Amino acid sequence: MINPGKAEKWAARSARLSARLRENLKRRKEQARGRKAEDVAAADADIGAAPDFRRNPGGKVGGGSGGPGTGRGG
């Protein structure tokens, strides 16, 4: 059987966890809204830029040794 003190303790814990979850959800939604605004601003800035269809747009071009970073085997 559960003691009355124990039930109160669990109820308080449950209330605390519920409040924390609500706050966490609010914070995450606000972050998502901020990221969406940043994406829209970045998309607006990129209008008119030519698309980059290279396979590895940020990688090095030529001059490599063919090592592990190039994906050409070893």
Side-chain angles (χ1 to χ4, degrees):
M1 176 156 266
I2 299 176
N3 296 335
K6 206 177 243 189
E8 290 172 5
K9 189 184 288 187
W10 278 101
R13 179 180 185 267
S14 179
R16 283 194 316 270
L17 288 174
S18 295
R20 283 217 165 161
L21 285 171
R22 278 192 302 274
E23 290 300 317
N24 188 22
L25 181 61
K26 288 178 186 178
R27 181 177 49 82
R28 290 177 58 196
K29 281 185 174 182
E30 188 63 35
Q31 287 176 344
R33 286 186 199 113
R35 282 193 301 269
K36 187 172 182 180
E38 289 174 4
D39 290 345
V40 168
D44 288 343
D46 287 342
I47 292 177
D52 191 2
F53 293 111
R54 292 181 293 173
R55 190 170 191 176
N56 189 8
K60 296 179 183 177
V61 178
S65 63
T70 63
R72 297 183 180 176

